[in-house]
Amino acid sequence: MPSSDAFIPFRRPRRLRTNPVMRNFTAETDLNPNRFVLPMFIADRPDAAGAQPISSLPGVVQHTESTMLRAVEEAMEAGVGAIDLFGVPKEEDKDATGSAGIDAGGVLNRAIATVRREFGNEILVMADTCLDEFTDHGHCGVLGTDPLGEAIIDNDATLEAYAAMALAQADAGAHMVSPSGMMDGQVRRIRETLDAAGHQNVSIMAYSAKYASAFYGPFREAVGSSLQGDRRQYQQDARNVRESLLETQLDIDEGADIVMVKPGMPYLDVLRQVAEMSPVPVAAYQVSGEYAMISAAAEKGWIDLEPAIMESLTGFHRAGADIVLTYWATTAAKLLRQG
Ligand code: PBG
């Protein structure tokens, strides 16, 4: 073929990729640490015990109060917008109803109060509003039986516990509560309780579309979970997406200020659909198993850690998340600062 007939493209997408300034100029998605949330584990141990590593989450620890304060300060200085506190009670303080999670003197409520006292409104303080860390059976709700005598997680009895827990968290100073137990009606029950107690300005980040997932494995180590069995009676089935839209709509109708999809990476399609229908901000949770996978591959030298972190977080934003919960919140915020 004569060269004058050769195909020469005049539409060249590569023009916008020619150098870093051009790529930054034309990027559709920007990561902003103000919209990162750092989940943190706080254990009921004396400060002298120091932070305890979590073997399946390299770099993540169970904090004591003083190491928690240092880590919060580091997050804040890096520009991270919020922390989400999870309590790890002493084994002997666990019981069937998770009462140590509701008790104002329990490890989680004490931690909330301590962070608020130290940092005021400089960083948002959110807490996990769920019983599983505090129950001796490890379930997110209280156990019961149906009329035929079958064991169930009792939805409506659990709502009472969540209401009390959310109230205790708000009283301790939480800016936000985050019900993660997937009980029907939990957002409404919590909203009514907070409002009746004068906590109209405490917001609710609802775990709206939360799937029963194998990717929560390392979290169970992180909180010393007592769970036997699984959570399939209350968390969603991986094969479904329509029920995520129903769950999200219900939470919005019940008063959720922010809705969440969880886990992240295997559910980006769900995230996209939720983002398209939600009139409130949407969060995504990069869960422990996702962190562990990327960390393990990087430790083996199979992938490059820092670009993998940033690419995974970018994926959430591109799929529609406004807010991302990630154990790499501080790390990623610092990487963004460095450019
Ligand atoms: C429940 C809760 C879980 C996670 C966050 N909140 C565990 C579960 O539902 O089994 C998992 C988070 C993670 O894996 O990083 N309180």
Side-chain angles (χ1 to χ4, degrees):
M1 204 191 297
S3 68
S4 60
D5 287 347
F7 169 63
I8 310 276
F10 63 92
R11 193 37 102 182
R12 291 182 187 268
R14 284 185 52 185
R15 279 186 201 114
L16 302 188
R17 303 176 198 141
T18 45
N19 66 57
V21 177
M22 180 61 91
R23 292 195 288 275
N24 289 341
F25 183 65
T26 57
E28 296 168 31
T29 306
D30 273 318
L31 293 176
N32 179 348
N34 294 336
R35 297 196 298 253
F36 291 164
V37 181
L38 176 66
M40 301 178 77
F41 303 104
I42 164 95
D44 199 354
R45 282 194 207 99
D47 274 327
Q52 299 290 321
I54 299 160
S55 64
S56 53
L57 292 174
V60 181
V61 298
Q62 289 182 348
H63 283 289
T64 65
E65 280 214 352
S66 67
T67 69
M68 169 187 73
L69 288 176
R70 281 202 296 279
V72 174
E73 185 162 26
E74 192 188 357
M76 197 184 73
E77 279 166 4
V80 171
I83 58 165
D84 187 5
L85 296 176
F86 293 83
V88 185
K90 293 195 190 95
E91 211 52 44
E92 66 263 29
D93 289 339
K94 294 183 180 180
D95 61 21
T97 56
S99 58
I102 297 166
D103 181 4
V107 60
L108 180 54
N109 292 322
R110 285 195 330 259
I112 295 167
T114 302
V115 187
R116 275 312 300 280
R117 213 179 303 122
E118 195 73 18
F119 297 102
N121 290 324
E122 291 183 89
I123 190 162
L124 297 175
V125 178
M126 182 187 310
D128 191 49
T129 313
C130 193
L131 299 180
D132 65 307
E133 291 96 12
F134 300 97
T135 51
D136 52 17
H137 46 75
H139 275 294
C140 295
V142 297
L143 306 182
T145 45
D146 75 3
L148 299 180
E150 285 224 40
I152 53 164
I153 311 304
D154 187 334
N155 190 90
D156 299 9
T158 302
L159 296 185
E160 298 313 303
Y162 286 179
M165 189 174 194
L167 182 57
Q169 293 175 344
D171 284 343
H175 292 102
M176 252 179 282
V177 298
S178 54
S180 63
M182 292 300 283
M183 297 298 140
D184 295 334
Q186 61 187 14
V187 171
R188 175 166 173 191
R189 190 71 190 78
I190 287 171
R191 185 71 272 157
E192 286 174 351
T193 304
L194 293 178
D195 287 357
H199 288 301
Q200 286 87 353
N201 287 334
V202 170
S203 45
I204 301 177
M205 185 177 75
Y207 287 62
S208 300
K210 179 174 178 181
Y211 287 83
S213 172
F215 292 94
Y216 304 149
F219 177 94
R220 306 264 164 92
E221 182 200 344
V223 299
S225 172
S226 307
L227 184 69
Q228 309 281 326
D230 61 53
R231 306 198 195 286
R232 291 178 192 281
Q233 273 190 16
Y234 43 103
Q235 297 180 347
Q236 290 174 228
D237 190 306
R239 293 168 292 189
N240 301 336
V241 64
R242 280 195 292 255
E243 66 179 331
S244 280
L245 305 181
L246 173 61
E247 289 279 8
T248 302
Q249 189 60 56
L250 287 171
D251 282 357
I252 291 164
D253 293 345
E254 290 179 26
D257 300 287
I258 300 171
V259 294
M260 192 211 290
V261 174
K262 178 186 176 190
M265 211 142 49
Y267 297 90
L268 291 177
D269 59 321
V270 178
L271 178 57
R272 164 51 56 197
Q273 291 193 42
V274 166
E276 274 166 15
M277 57 78 79
S278 175
V280 301
V282 175
Y285 198 141
Q286 181 177 52
V287 302
S288 57
E290 301 175 59
Y291 179 101
M293 278 195 303
I294 294 173
S295 299
E299 256 172 38
K300 280 187 171 282
W302 290 348
I303 59 173
D304 198 356
L305 182 62
E306 291 177 355
I309 294 172
M310 297 324 257
E311 189 175 331
S312 67
L313 299 179
T314 299
F316 293 127
H317 280 294
R318 197 189 54 240
D322 305 291
I323 294 160
V324 177
L325 291 88
T326 171
Y327 302 100
W328 279 308
T330 305
T331 305
K334 287 182 179 172
L335 289 171
L336 285 168
R337 284 259 160 108
Q338 290 161 16

